[in-house]
């Protein structure tokens, strides 16, 4: 039926009202578009990347505790993808693990993520499909849920730390599953960035107090961070507020996936450097520049008071289910290689040289390299919902591994038999070579969840599996 001009004008005039009414009835999701882009990054004027909303890192997504995150991913990438909301306690169907919790989002398709945000804190989001490639190409961003009673600060800043490995032509090196990387420390880039920029500077005025949310979004790089010349306190790790502010002294170890919230007092003028000294040598990460009268010092302020801890359920250790995960493999392995016959490994290796987009199986959890999609894998352990779990992580490799559990926060009870005072809460725990960690948590979130190394190349090489809460 043809529409008359009057009706058309009327319809046009009413369209915004109708749209507003529709919004009030059923709010529209915020779109989040993943697409190839060229951005100024890593010291390059126009680096070809994959980006959320055309920027690297992706937009800072900010909410208040209790709000509903309602975001529709629009996949304009050449490859299928998903979004994982790292560290949030969310319903299993929103966790973004392809095949396990949702189908992959094909190119040109959309997927709506919608869930309430139960806890304040610093989280982040990234794809969980082809992760070594997609995260390295630039897909990662901060997800901040604001505290109800945050310590008062003049500024609240996110520093998303990353590194890029560029090839000789200055582009992102596209060998994402290199055997050396997968079997050793993962893909370490040569170009360190803060919020996508090299030589990042935060400008402050003398006397300001700021909150700095550090997120390690690198594929594999572990940071050992030191801020020289300013006083800082740790007030939260992995989103969970600390009991009390802990003075930042010495090196703060931040493995891939981990976060630390710091309060810093700009109590000395000048340029203060954030330095990473993990492994050999030292690298500049970023700079805090404090303006003011030369040599001006402001009076030391009392330590900030972290927000109240969220109501994470306390594990009941006497009634806990006990499980052990033994991590093996890697170069210079101690537990040997996985069971795959050598010929299969060589065959895979040769396929890879021919341009394959998969890793070799080189890492094991309880004797198996868990390769590829996880939906066909037998769970590493299963527990009834509500049960407390005591989980031992036994690292029988010569490498560091940040082990991430989906859907839950865990308490770290002991390291190598030494009990930890005030057992800290984490969603990602960093194991040093040969470490034995004892964790505990209440498995109160039903579903099929991943537990994996957040060195993305290690996960691709077999270091990860599923646990189920029924
Ligand atoms: Cu941040 Cu399973 O990942
Ligand atoms: Cu690892």
């Amino acid at each position: 039926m043809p529409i008359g001009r009057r009706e058309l004008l009327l319809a046009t005039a009413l369209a915004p009202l109708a749209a507003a009414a529709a919004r009030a009835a059923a709010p529209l999701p915020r779109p989040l578009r993943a697409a190839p882009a060229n951005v100024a990054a890593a010291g390059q004027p126009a680096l070809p990347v994959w980006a959320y909303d055309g920027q690297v890192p992706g937009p800072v997504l900010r909410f208040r505790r209790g709000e509903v995150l309602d975001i529709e991913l629009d996949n304009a990438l050449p490859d299928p993808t998903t979004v994982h909301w790292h560290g949030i306690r969310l319903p299993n169907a929103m966790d973004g693990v392809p095949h396990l919790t949702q189908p992959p989002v094909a190119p040109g398709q959309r997927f709506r993520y919608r869930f309430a945000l139960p806890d304040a804190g610093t989280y982040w989001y990234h794809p969980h499909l082809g992760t070594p490639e997609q995260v390295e190409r630039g897909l990662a961003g901060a997800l901040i849920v604001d505290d109800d009673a945050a310590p008062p600060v003049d500024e609240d800043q996110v520093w998303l730390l990353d590194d890029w490995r560029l090839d000789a032509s200055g582009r992102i090196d596209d060998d994402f599953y290199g055997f050396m990387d997968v079997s050793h420390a993962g893909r370490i880039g040569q170009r360190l960035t803060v919020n996508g920029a090299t030589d990042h500077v935060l400008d402050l005025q003398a006397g300001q107090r700021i909150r700095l949310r550090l997120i390690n979004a690198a594929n594999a790089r572990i940071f050992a961070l030191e801020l020289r010349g300013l006083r800082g306190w740790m007030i939260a790790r992995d989103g969970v507020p600390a009991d009390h502010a802990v003075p930042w002294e010495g090196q703060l170890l931040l493995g891939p996936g981990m976060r630390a919230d710091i309060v810093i007092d700009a109590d000395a003028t000048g340029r203060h450097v954030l330095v990473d000294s993990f492994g050999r040598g030292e690298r500049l990460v970023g700079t805090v520049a404090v303006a003011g009268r030369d040599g001006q010092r402001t009076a030391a302020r009392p330590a900030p008071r972290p927000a109240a801890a969220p109501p994470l359920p306390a594990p009941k250790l006497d009634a806990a289910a006990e499980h052990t995960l033994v991590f093996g493999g890697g170069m210079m392995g101690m537990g040997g290689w996985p069971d795959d016959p050598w010929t299969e490994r060589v065959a895979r290796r040769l396929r890879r040289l021919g341009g394959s987009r998969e890793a070799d199986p080189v890492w094991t959890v309880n004797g198996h390299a868990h390769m590829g999609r996880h939906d066909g894998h037998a769970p590493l352990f299963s527990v009834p919902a509500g049960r407390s779990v005591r989980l031992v992580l036994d690292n029988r490799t010569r490498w560091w591994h940040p082990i991430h559990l989906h859907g839950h926060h865990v308490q770290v009870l002991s390291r190598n038999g030494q009990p930890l005072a005030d057992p800290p809460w984490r969603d990602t725990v960093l194991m040093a070579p040969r470490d034995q960690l004892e964790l505990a948590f209440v498995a109160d979130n039903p579903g099929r969840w991943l537990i994996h190394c957040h060195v993305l190349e290690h996960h691709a090489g077999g270091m990860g599996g599923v646990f189920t809460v029924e």
Side-chain angles (χ1 to χ4, degrees), residues 143-225:
L143 169 61
I144 308 298
V145 185
D146 279 314
D147 296 334
D148 306 316
V153 290
D154 300 306
E155 272 187 50
D156 188 322
Q157 293 274 343
V158 175
W159 276 22
L160 189 132
L161 312 183
D162 205 346
D163 64 358
W164 255 317
R165 186 188 292 175
L166 306 181
D167 64 17
S169 68
R171 296 180 162 234
I172 296 170
D173 187 330
D174 65 3
D175 184 10
F176 296 104
Y177 296 92
F179 183 74
M180 281 297 286
D181 294 333
V182 173
S183 60
H184 291 71
R187 178 181 172 118
I188 309 286
Q190 78 272 46
R191 198 69 64 87
L192 266 62
T193 59
V194 174
N195 299 340
T198 48
D199 309 318
H200 183 76
V201 180
L202 173 63
D203 286 303
L204 299 177
Q205 293 299 319
Q208 280 189 314
R209 168 169 276 192
I210 65 152
R211 178 179 187 148
L212 195 56
R213 301 171 185 265
L214 300 173
I215 301 171
N216 183 350
N219 282 35
R221 181 183 289 278
I222 298 165
F223 290 89
L225 297 169

Side-chain angles (χ1 to χ4, degrees), residues 332-343:
M332 300 172 279
M334 294 150 61
W337 292 80
D339 300 334
D340 297 59
W342 172 248
T343 46

Side-chain angles (χ1 to χ4, degrees), residues 111-354:
F111 189 90
R112 187 172 181 180
Y113 294 94
R114 192 164 190 276
F115 53 91
L117 297 159
D119 305 314
T122 302
Y123 306 95
W124 65 299
Y125 61 98
H126 62 78
H128 221 294
L129 210 171
T131 323
E133 173 173 2
Q134 296 196 7
V135 173
E136 177 70 4
R137 286 195 189 275
L139 293 170
L143 169 61
I144 308 298
V145 185
D146 279 314
D147 296 334
D148 306 316
V153 290
D154 300 306
E155 272 187 50
D156 188 322
Q157 293 274 343
V158 175
W159 276 22
L160 189 132
L161 312 183
D162 205 346
D163 64 358
W164 255 317
R165 186 188 292 175
L166 306 181
D167 64 17
S169 68
R171 296 180 162 234
I172 296 170
D173 187 330
D174 65 3
D175 184 10
F176 296 104
Y177 296 92
F179 183 74
M180 281 297 286
D181 294 333
V182 173
S183 60
H184 291 71
R187 178 181 172 118
I188 309 286
Q190 78 272 46
R191 198 69 64 87
L192 266 62
T193 59
V194 174
N195 299 340
T198 48
D199 309 318
H200 183 76
V201 180
L202 173 63
D203 286 303
L204 299 177
Q205 293 299 319
Q208 280 189 314
R209 168 169 276 192
I210 65 152
R211 178 179 187 148
L212 195 56
R213 301 171 185 265
L214 300 173
I215 301 171
N216 183 350
N219 282 35
R221 181 183 289 278
I222 298 165
F223 290 89
L225 297 169
E226 218 181 305
L227 179 63
R228 301 204 173 134
L230 291 177
R231 294 212 305 158
W233 291 270
M234 215 91 57
I235 58 163
R237 293 293 303 265
D238 287 4
V240 183
D243 288 346
H244 56 273
V246 182
W248 184 358
E249 280 152 4
Q251 295 179 337
L252 161 63
L253 275 179
L254 206 63
M258 300 167 77
R259 289 90 65 214
D261 288 31
I262 313 285
V263 166
I264 294 168
D265 281 345
D267 53 7
T269 56
R271 294 173 75 83
H272 308 283
V273 288
L274 180 66
V275 168
D276 162 47
S277 53
F278 188 80
R280 251 174 268 139
E282 267 190 11
R283 292 150 296 274
L284 175 68
V285 178
T287 304
V288 179
V290 181
R293 258 183 301 108
D294 242 10
Q296 178 184 354
R297 289 202 74 95
T298 36
R301 292 207 246 171
R305 191 168 312 150
L312 295 171
K316 295 191 188 62
L317 292 178
D318 43 349
E322 314 231 345
H323 294 283
T324 298
L325 301 180
V326 176
F327 296 89
M331 282 312 278
M332 300 172 279
M334 294 150 61
W337 292 80
D339 300 334
D340 297 59
W342 172 248
T343 46
E344 167 61 0
R345 279 209 311 278
V346 173
R348 278 173 168 279
R349 178 99 178 90
L350 292 178
R351 279 204 303 278
R352 193 189 60 76
L353 289 176

